[in-house]
Amino acid sequence: MRMVDVIEKKRNGKELTNEEIRFAVNGYTQGEIPDYQMSALAMAIFFQDMTTAERAELTMAMVESGDQIDLSAVEGIKVDKHSTGGVGDKTTIALAPLVAALGVPVAKMSGRGLGHTGGTIDKLESIPGFTVEISIDEFTNLVNKNKLAVVGQTGNLAPADKKLYALRDVTATVNSIPLIASSIMSKKIASGADAIVLDVKTGTGAFMKELDQAKELAEAMVGIGKSLGRNTMAIISDMNQPLGYTIGNALEVKEAIDLLYGRGPDDLRELCLRLGSQMVYFAGKAESIEDARKKLVEVIENGKARETLKTFIKAQNGDPSIVDEPEKLAKAKYLIEVQAKSDGFVAGIEADQIGTAAMLLGAGRATKDSEIDLAVGMELHKKIGDFVKAGESIATLHSNREDVEEIIERVRDAYRFSKEDIGAPTLIYDEIK
Ligand code: URA
């Protein structure tokens, strides 16, 4: 087989065979196919798209290029959740103990963040003592015992995807639905998921800015999951403003804990209940989505979800007392208010800008090797639809430095005001099953 023929076939809009897809992916991963030929194929896919069968094969070729986590020793149906990423997205931290409290095994392999704030692991590491440096054996034992464990991502998960993603980044081929969908799904499947619940974000702070793009991506991922025998569904949720009120690692952990006390922001709670109901249903722990939702509300109200969180934290060396006393989490030195300049209803909050402001405070990594300050970030006081008076605080920065004028301006500029109340935005636009 010759790579040039594979490129030409895709360029002409034909469907590639499984053998052709494997030939390209394996050859590229092993260094036998050069970057320029793989770039040409990526560009041909960008313009000509792929069928669901091709997307599924591409996904499996990337899965099989590296380690696959064997979770067969974990009892029950392992349901993973994935979010395409957003500002203030602390869903996993609340959701994992919530569903685990109902007996759903949550075997989560997570990464660190290269975004506005840390990833789930960074957030969890703001709990004193907490570690994700556990062996895979320990990880599966903990899931069997406590129904919940989190481990750091192995470096050899879908290496073909890693190499191809880096190439796409410099060849203007990141934004291709079949390539994004297979990239994300390859990592989920290599992590051992039996079923997958996806949270595809859309809006100013999301990877997919437009709703129809987000739907297309969700449909592509659900199509791949189902073709590969995994129960898969997606929720399309709003990212036209940050999720919840906090952005920053320790601050987000505190907000997630609040939710397990039955407090916490409405948007975060609703999203957790919607995603959680699907996870519980897929895991066979409820008869219907409605039944699953009822059970989730029960474990919030009877404290079982908080107990599950404590057991999980303790098992991974963390201090479980932070669940009852979240004020023990790291705190920044300075609290600095951001005041509104005029009256009006909040009509929009550029989530991207808020995320960048949090990163500039030190909550996120500018480069792979940057150190994160787990204590810093911000708390928003106003969200879309709220009325604000001139001089009123719209946000509090949690900072370890005082020279934050530029960041204050950035947060202020991220808010858009209007004379009329536009009401709260839609949180969940659609479900793809
Ligand atoms: N995230 C991924 O993991 N892959 C992509 O291609 C895009 C976003």
Side-chain angles (χ1 to χ4, degrees):
M1 201 176 293
R2 294 189 317 156
M3 184 64 175
V4 63
D5 300 324
V6 177
I7 298 168
E8 186 179 307
K9 188 170 175 188
K10 185 40 74 185
R11 187 203 64 191
N12 293 341
K14 303 246 167 61
E15 182 171 6
L16 300 179
T17 63
N18 291 351
E19 293 68 34
E20 285 161 342
I21 291 170
R22 293 279 172 162
F23 170 78
V25 173
N26 296 345
Y28 183 58
T29 314
Q30 285 151 22
E32 288 153 12
I33 289 172
D35 281 349
Y36 56 82
Q37 283 191 308
M38 199 60 186
S39 329
L41 181 62
M43 192 58 89
I45 292 170
F46 183 95
F47 283 112
Q48 296 291 0
D49 207 341
M50 284 180 128
T51 62
T52 300
E54 284 177 296
R55 294 169 181 185
E57 190 61 21
L58 175 59
T59 304
M60 278 321 287
M62 296 202 288
V63 168
E64 287 166 14
S65 69
D67 294 346
Q68 291 182 64
I69 310 305
D70 179 7
L71 293 181
S72 55
V74 174
E75 299 139 22
I77 301 169
K78 278 76 69 183
V79 189
D80 203 355
K81 170 244 157 195
H82 178 82
S83 156
T84 56
V87 179
D89 190 358
K90 69 280 292 172
T91 312
T92 299
I93 300 179
L95 190 54
L98 254 179
V99 301
L102 290 172
V104 177
V106 180
K108 189 111 195 106
M109 180 165 274
S110 268
R112 293 180 193 282
L114 219 193
H116 299 126
T117 57
T120 296
I121 288 187
D122 300 297
K123 289 173 193 175
L124 286 169
E125 281 177 351
S126 63
I127 298 167
F130 191 92
T131 181
V132 291
E133 306 297 323
I134 54 176
S135 68
I136 290 291
D137 278 353
E138 222 176 329
F139 173 62
T140 47
N141 286 341
L142 285 179
V143 183
N144 278 336
K145 195 163 140 228
N146 303 328
K147 295 296 165 202
L148 170 58
V150 176
V151 69
Q153 203 159 297
T154 124
N156 198 33
L157 202 74
D161 169 63
K162 206 174 273 172
K163 198 168 172 192
L164 182 57
Y165 197 8
L167 185 73
R168 287 165 53 210
D169 211 17
V170 292
T171 56
T173 49
V174 166
N175 246 329
S176 151
I177 297 287
L179 294 179
I180 301 171
S182 52
S183 165
I184 294 174
M185 292 301 282
S186 69
K187 286 167 283 199
K188 292 289 108 184
I189 289 172
S191 310
D194 296 323
I196 302 160
V197 173
L198 300 157
D199 179 13
V200 180
K201 306 278 191 197
T202 185
T204 53
F207 188 53
M208 291 287 144
K209 310 271 181 235
E210 304 299 330
L211 180 57
D212 47 352
Q213 279 181 321
K215 270 191 193 172
E216 218 188 310
L217 177 62
E219 277 160 8
M221 292 195 285
V222 171
I224 291 172
K226 286 185 173 170
S227 301
L228 297 174
R230 268 69 169 186
N231 245 338
T232 308
M233 69 81 64
I235 280 175
I236 318 268
S237 73
D238 184 66
M239 195 29 75
N240 280 306
Q241 61 179 346
L243 185 65
Y245 288 97
T246 61
I247 302 104
N249 300 280
L251 290 166
E252 292 189 34
V253 168
K254 182 169 178 305
E255 194 167 59
I257 292 172
D258 264 356
L259 189 133
L260 303 183
Y261 274 95
R263 305 186 294 253
D266 292 345
D267 56 355
L268 178 64
R269 179 182 162 95
E270 182 56 24
L271 188 62
C272 284
L273 291 176
R274 288 287 284 267
L275 293 165
S277 308
Q278 279 295 334
M279 292 174 78
V280 171
Y281 179 65
F282 275 169
K285 301 287 181 189
E287 274 159 27
S288 63
I289 299 290
E290 296 70 37
D291 180 35
R293 187 176 172 113
K294 220 172 86 219
K295 289 183 158 135
L296 287 169
V297 172
E298 266 166 29
V299 292
I300 294 177
E301 285 171 359
N302 66 20
K304 224 174 147 197
R306 290 195 299 278
E307 286 314 309
T308 306
L309 178 62
K310 283 186 203 167
T311 308
F312 155 66
I313 292 174
K314 187 153 182 258
Q316 296 198 216
N317 250 345
D319 176 3
S321 72
I322 61 108
V323 177
D324 293 326
E325 301 163 81
E327 57 282 1
K328 282 187 177 169
L329 290 165
K331 281 203 199 67
K333 258 195 249 166
Y334 307 105
L335 298 183
I336 302 159
E337 302 304 324
V338 179
Q339 283 147 343
K341 283 195 172 150
S342 53
D343 292 359
F345 288 95
V346 179
I349 308 174
E350 291 281 336
D352 252 0
Q353 290 304 320
I354 295 287
T356 305
M359 195 186 76
L360 292 172
L361 285 168
R365 290 186 181 82
T367 70
K368 200 157 74 10
D369 303 314
S370 326
E371 283 268 320
I372 282 191
D373 185 340
L374 296 166
V376 305
M378 76 189 77
E379 232 174 313
L380 307 180
H381 303 306
K382 301 288 176 182
K383 299 216 11 191
I384 297 178
D386 290 342
F387 185 73
V388 183
K389 281 193 154 148
E392 201 179 346
S393 175
I394 48 177
T396 304
L397 306 186
H398 291 235
S399 176
N400 275 327
R401 39 179 252 254
E402 285 180 288
D403 57 327
V404 291
E405 269 317 305
E406 185 206 328
I407 299 174
I408 291 176
E409 274 314 305
R410 196 180 275 270
V411 173
R412 209 178 260 139
D413 288 349
Y415 274 77
R416 256 188 316 108
F417 293 98
S418 104
K419 295 244 170 308
E420 277 126 57
D421 182 3
I422 63 155
T426 302
L427 175 66
I428 292 167
Y429 296 102
D430 212 345
E431 278 189 7
I432 311 288
K433 288 188 172 169

